[in-house]
Amino acid sequence: MSEFQSVRGFHDLFGEDLKKFRHVSNLIREKLKLYNFEEIVIPVLEYLEVFQRSIGEATDIVQKEMFAFQDRKGRWIALRPEGTAGVVRAYVQNRLYALKPYAKLFYEGPMFRHERPQAGRYRQFHQIGAEVFGPLDPLVDAEMIQLVYEILSELNIKATIEVNSIGCKSCRPAYREALSLYLNALERRLCEVCLDRKGRNPLRVLDCKVPTCKEAVKDAPKMLDFLCKECGEHHFKLKEYLNTLSIPYRENPNLVRGLDYYTKTVFEAVSADMNITLIAGGRYDYLVEEMGGPPTPAVGFAVGLERLSMLFKEHVREEPLYMVVPFGDVLDYALFIAKVLRSEGKRVELSYRRGSLKKQLELANRLGVRYAVLVGEEEKAGGFYTLKDMETGEQLRVEFSPSL
RNA sequence: GAGAGCGUAGCUCAGCUGGCAGAGCAGUGGACUGUGGAUCCACGGGUCGCGGGUUCGACUCCCGUCGCUCUCCCCA
């Protein structure tokens, strides 16, 4: 073991893993551009209040998972545990609502949560997130879910999309009340954590994984039965749109998110192979206003890049690699050939090893070279190079104009 | 926050009820200075995670510690 080690939960990303990561990231970014999202780059650090206000003081993320510390003037700063809070802060601070009738933004970058690392979970991990500010139309919710669906299909990752509505300011209180009553009645059957959650945020009891809780909650009142007219219609139309788009989804009345800002639509894409959420999001119609902006409904989602990369099993194809193999006193000519090939847009490695052609071809093989460009005395004298296809073994004499 | 497993060569791992530290792959060199991918030969490489204890003797047993992995919780 080396003397110095990266911080627990913080990993180096390179090689094949990185190739996959970039592939996944690029695919999502391209997809977002097709839907006309514009990128926003926001800081990794925010004042702690930004997260406390938006994510919610009582949430696990804020209570125990943040990397927070004081700066030299004693102000509390935190590494962002998610992206929405910062985007909303930026949206309000820069008055982006004044630029266009609505805004579609996406971000990408590292997030930090002080959790116990495990498969697909790191203390520094990466998300791409998308947010739409302005429209209240369920069409937008549907499009967000469509995006999620297309991302997963194109990466060939099997997942179930779950959808629910958790209501709004006018209908959720009544439901909360009803749920509390119900939970109080069966207190003894709940796990310890849920007994605690029951008072603070009874909705979270619904997605507790403890079997007895699951059982206890089976006949609990459903939010869907309490939705006000507006929320009910919103939810109904969303499902209609999803059907129109032929997007398979599962309605999960117990789907609740761990962040406080959600309203109406919430959704999650859960891996079919592992018990982890890959992409999650929902509507948050009050958050912009709570952060000091004008009343602005919004929807968003976030993609866990490591999680998707981990489940992405296909081989990432690369540009074929050329290696210029000089042998004999021809280094000047080899440099020249490499320059020519690169000017043609090819990915070129100039062999850094001297020695027999045999040795060099061995090296080329080890480096995964697709085409060896053989350059010897003959080639130099004749003004050509010999192109060897390392897969088929075929060789080709290539002349080129000496105009360069 | 709760629980389990694992730390031996660059990598994957073997090493029994304590007794000289091992293999495969990778690396380097070589009959071969114009032809590679599983031909052959040789070579290098180790604080057995770290600290303590038991013992004549510890990679092996015990305690502690650090790290990694995994499960639950939570979450992307």
Side-chain angles (χ1 to χ4, degrees):
Chain A
M1 195 186 300
S2 58
E3 181 180 3
F4 294 109
Q5 265 183 291
S6 61
V7 175
R8 181 166 165 80
F10 289 66
H11 294 289
D12 305 311
L13 194 50
F14 55 90
E16 284 304 310
D17 291 343
L18 182 59
K19 280 175 199 157
K20 274 191 182 184
F21 184 93
R22 291 282 180 234
H23 176 81
V24 168
S25 160
N26 288 337
L27 186 139
I28 296 169
R29 295 175 68 100
E30 288 310 311
K31 179 62 75 182
L32 285 165
K33 284 175 190 163
L34 292 180
Y35 279 75
N36 195 32
F37 280 83
E38 274 186 70
E39 184 164 14
I40 181 168
V41 176
I42 52 168
V44 166
L45 291 172
E46 298 277 354
Y47 288 113
L48 183 60
E49 306 92 77
V50 171
F51 302 117
Q52 290 172 327
R53 264 298 241 339
S54 55
I55 300 168
E57 194 71 61
T59 57
D60 288 314
I61 294 180
V62 167
Q63 287 210 322
K64 47 187 192 194
E65 296 176 1
M66 272 204 288
F67 285 92
F69 54 91
Q70 282 175 294
D71 69 10
R72 295 186 181 200
K73 293 203 169 154
R75 287 205 63 172
W76 281 93
I77 308 278
L79 285 168
R80 62 183 181 196
E82 57 105 54
T84 302
V87 174
V88 171
R89 195 228 79 232
Y91 179 80
V92 172
Q93 180 179 336
N94 300 293
R95 297 174 180 33
L96 300 183
Y97 45 82
L99 284 181
K100 288 179 184 173
Y102 57 84
K104 296 168 77 172
L105 302 172
F106 80 89
Y107 59 87
E108 169 170 18
M111 305 294 163
F112 306 85
R113 292 187 197 171
H114 197 278
E115 299 178 275
R116 197 100 157 216
Q118 75 189 54
R121 193 168 69 191
Y122 313 95
R123 288 185 175 179
Q124 175 176 334
F125 60 101
H126 296 77
Q127 289 187 334
I128 294 184
E131 320 282 355
V132 179
F133 296 100
L136 184 55
D137 197 325
L139 188 65
V140 184
D141 307 30
E143 258 198 343
M144 296 303 256
I145 295 173
Q146 182 184 17
L147 252 164
V148 166
Y149 176 68
E150 287 178 358
I151 289 168
L152 291 166
S153 331
E154 280 173 39
L155 290 171
N156 224 334
I157 292 172
K158 292 190 185 61
T160 311
I161 297 179
E162 303 190 340
V163 177
N164 192 23
S165 174
I166 57 170
C168 66
K169 266 181 184 160
S170 58
C171 52
R172 203 175 336 164
Y175 172 65
R176 217 182 133 115
E177 192 72 16
L179 184 62
S180 287
L181 277 173
Y182 174 85
L183 293 175
N184 283 335
L186 43 75
E187 216 166 62
R188 274 169 311 159
R189 292 161 59 190
L190 297 176
C191 72
E192 254 175 69
V193 190
C194 282
L195 287 175
D196 181 47
R197 275 201 282 241
K198 187 165 61 73
R200 284 207 322 271
N201 188 355
L203 298 216
R204 306 254 334 118
V205 178
L206 292 178
D207 67 349
C208 182
K209 308 295 188 299
V210 178
T212 52
C213 289
K214 273 188 166 173
E215 182 64 24
V217 141
K218 224 172 56 182
D219 301 316
K222 303 269 185 269
M223 183 68 229
L224 293 177
D225 299 326
F226 284 73
L227 293 180
C228 62
K229 187 157 177 285
E230 189 193 312
C231 286
E233 271 175 22
H234 188 99
H235 192 57
F236 179 79
K237 280 190 179 160
L238 166 63
K239 290 191 286 182
E240 245 182 18
Y241 291 134
L242 291 178
N243 291 334
T244 304
L245 290 164
S246 305
I247 294 169
Y249 67 94
R250 192 170 79 85
E251 194 155 16
N252 177 1
N254 291 335
L255 176 63
V256 175
R257 309 295 343 288
L259 294 75
D260 282 353
Y261 51 63
Y262 286 112
T263 53
K264 290 192 171 72
T265 308
V266 290
F267 56 91
E268 238 177 64
V270 183
S271 166
D273 303 321
M274 296 176 74
N275 181 27
I276 53 173
T277 300
L278 305 174
I279 306 178
R283 186 162 269 290
Y284 48 99
D285 291 338
Y286 310 127
L287 184 57
V288 173
E289 191 178 359
E290 275 166 23
M291 297 287 286
T296 310
V299 216
F301 67 79
V303 180
L305 288 177
E306 281 85 357
R307 290 185 175 186
L308 287 193
S309 315
M310 179 176 63
L311 291 165
F312 179 71
K313 301 297 185 195
E314 289 158 39
H315 183 71
V316 178
R317 282 226 303 266
E318 289 189 289
E319 288 296 301
L321 176 61
Y322 289 72
M323 187 164 95
V324 176
V325 178
F327 49 104
D329 185 22
V330 294
L331 285 179
D332 51 345
Y333 188 60
L335 282 168
F336 173 66
I337 298 285
K339 183 174 158 187
V340 169
L341 291 172
R342 286 181 182 129
S343 76
E344 291 169 2
K346 293 181 172 102
R347 188 175 151 227
V348 178
E349 175 85 9
L350 175 62
S351 173
Y352 294 151
R353 177 183 294 184
R354 301 297 147 63
S356 65
L357 184 56
K358 182 187 174 77
K359 278 277 184 266
Q360 302 219 49
L361 285 173
E362 266 174 31
L363 176 73
N365 212 41
R366 287 281 307 142
L367 293 178
V369 168
R370 178 63 208 272
Y371 299 105
V373 177
L374 310 186
V375 176
E377 306 282 359
E378 265 179 55
E379 280 82 357
K380 181 177 176 180
F384 66 99
Y385 60 82
T386 302
L387 185 70
K388 181 184 177 75
D389 184 324
M390 296 295 284
E391 276 172 29
T392 63
E394 279 169 36
Q395 290 190 186
L396 204 66
R397 179 191 167 107
V398 181
E399 315 269 353
F400 59 94
S401 57
S403 62
L404 292 161

